[in-house]
Structure formats: structure tokens, C-alpha cells
Amino acid sequence: QVQLVQSGAEVKQPGSSVKVSCRASGGSFHNDAFNWVRHAPGQGLEWMGRIVPMFGTVTFPQRFQGRLTITADEFTSTTYMELRSLRPEDTAVYYCAREDYDFWSGDYTFYYYMDLWGKGTTVTVSS
Amino acid sequence: QSALTQPPSASGSPGQSVTISCAGSSSDVGNYNYVSWYQHHPGKAPKLIIYEVTKRPSGVPNRFSGSKSGNTASLTVSGLQADDEADYYCCSYAGSDNLVFGGGTKLTVL
């Protein structure tokens, strides 16, 4: 049974960086896409971006441009989310979530829903 | 992209039905049939309960149903049970492979 196992909680100073990992165990990593979603206290879920490990392609909203890096290591079936220049408002629970996609004729089409989630990693940004 | 708009709270008694709305725009909900809904019990991982507007993953009870009209999607939970008390989030495709979530609705079973 596939599980997404995330790294442990982090406490960071404002201005520093955090790197959260998400390892897929018990199933395919190569044929899936992985999203990162965060949940700040008192706020709704926020989609942060997605990586397709097979191609190394990453998509994320403009508001994270310059601060966010999402990578994947196929040898360890692990995806990473690194957020830089941390601010107190980045305090949140960070989730990774799997998304399926179809690959056909050199292009891929996402399913646009996330069917398996990790348990989340709490990141606290405080001085 | 702007977050989708959900009512902050909803409630119903056991056995009743409740509907949660998710208002978007012609750039997301209104233009694509890629609306999904997630149930989130605090401290646990979110769980997919509806995808592609109306479809239920295997194992999700048929008490959960989804629909869409124009720029607004809806989740209906019928035959409310105590365990349905949770936060519910809608999510829509918003073009250019981007996704956008709603602000969430806290469902209380009275």
C-alpha cells in the first residue's frame, strides 16, 4: 500500500530556509506527480506547486516565484520542497500529495486532483 | 489566482442533508470540470471525497455527492453522521496546470 512519509517538524528563524521531504513507499514514484499544499493557522489550504519526477518539470503559482524550489530524487522516491526567505506567515503544516497523469505522444495531462496525502510537516517561523 | 469562496461554516443534525457551495469564476470552476473536494479532520491528512465535479473515489460513501452550475460547485452530504464533522475544501483547475483551493467550510453535526 502506497504511503507518503514526510519529514519531521521544523522551527526556523525569519529569513532562513526550510526543506521538507516526502518519500513514497510501497508503490510507483516514477509514474506519478507530486503536489505541495500548505495549511496556515486559521487559513484555507493553499496549493504551492507540483513536480513530475519522470520529467523533472515543476509548476507553481507566480506568488512563490524566486522563493520555492521543488525537486525529486527517483533513486529514493523522494520529493523535496524548499522555501526560502521565510516569514512568520509561512508558518503552516506542509503536505505532499500524489496526483496521477497520463503521458501520450510526448505530452502529459494531469488529473487535477490529489488522491493520496502525506500526514503533513509543521513548519514554524519565529524569532 | 484568487481563492475560491466557500461559506466559513455549515451545520446540520444527524440524518439531515447539508450543501456546501464553492464559488469561483469563468477562469476556474466555470471553465473546467476539474473540481475536487477534500475532507479534513484536524491533525489528519486531507482525504479526497469528490473529483471531476461528481465522481467518488472507491470507498467514499454515496452520501457524498458533487455538482456544478455555472461558476459555482457544490458538495452535498446527506444522512449526516457524527464523523462527517470536519473541514471541507473545494479545489479547481485554474488553467496553465495550476490549482486553486477554497477557503474551507467547517461542518458541524449538531
Side-chain angles (χ1 to χ4, degrees):
Chain A
Q1 187 175 353
V2 182
Q3 291 185 74
L4 300 179
V5 181
Q6 297 188 222
S7 50
E10 303 261 15
V11 178
K12 293 291 182 180
Q13 299 264 3
S16 66
S17 300
V18 68
K19 191 170 186 177
V20 180
S21 68
C22 170
R23 180 175 59 86
S25 67
S28 172
F29 179 81
H30 184 70
N31 296 324
D32 292 328
F34 293 89
N35 293 266
W36 287 92
V37 176
R38 71 180 181 180
H39 187 199
Q43 306 292 315
L45 298 177
E46 182 180 22
W47 182 73
M48 298 182 68
R50 176 203 297 111
I51 186 166
V52 184
M54 180 187 287
F55 304 101
T57 52
V58 176
T59 308
F60 52 79
Q62 186 68 26
R63 62 183 174 276
F64 290 110
Q65 187 74 38
R67 282 215 303 149
L68 176 65
T69 300
I70 300 175
T71 55
D73 181 344
E74 292 207 77
F75 292 105
T76 60
S77 298
T78 302
T79 179
Y80 299 90
M81 184 283 302
E82 182 179 28
L83 191 61
R84 298 176 293 280
S85 301
L86 289 170
R87 312 185 265 253
E89 52 266 37
D90 292 318
T91 294
V93 178
Y94 289 76
Y95 296 97
C96 63
R98 184 184 69 180
E99 178 183 3
D100 205 350
Y101 68 94
D102 291 328
F103 181 68
W104 181 255
S105 297
D107 199 4
Y108 42 78
T109 303
F110 297 109
Y111 282 23
Y112 302 122
Y113 60 87
M114 293 159 271
D115 63 353
L116 178 68
W117 294 63
K119 293 187 176 181
T121 296
T122 300
V123 175
T124 304
V125 183
S126 174
S127 55
Chain B
Q1 300 90 351
S2 300
L4 307 176
T5 301
Q6 298 180 234
S9 63
S11 63
S13 299
Q16 288 186 332
S17 294
V18 64
T19 297
I20 298 170
S21 62
C22 169
S25 70
S26 57
S27 299
D28 38 61
V29 174
N31 200 34
Y32 306 101
N33 288 322
Y34 290 117
V35 176
S36 54
W37 289 88
Y38 301 87
Q39 179 190 61
H40 189 201
H41 287 105
K44 293 193 169 184
K47 176 187 176 182
L48 174 71
I49 56 173
I50 295 288
Y51 65 99
E52 292 176 7
V53 181
T54 62
K55 298 178 181 178
R56 276 188 314 276
S58 172
V60 174
N62 59 9
R63 301 185 298 103
F64 293 90
S65 61
S67 62
K68 189 183 87 165
S69 177
N71 295 338
T72 300
S74 298
L75 171 72
T76 297
V77 186
S78 57
L80 274 174
Q81 300 179 1
D83 191 52
D84 297 334
E85 186 161 296
D87 297 323
Y88 291 83
Y89 293 91
C90 60
C91 180
S92 175
Y93 178 54
S96 301
D97 290 333
N98 282 257
L99 297 172
V100 61
F101 279 95
T105 298
K106 181 178 180 59
L107 174 60
T108 300
V109 181
L110 301 171

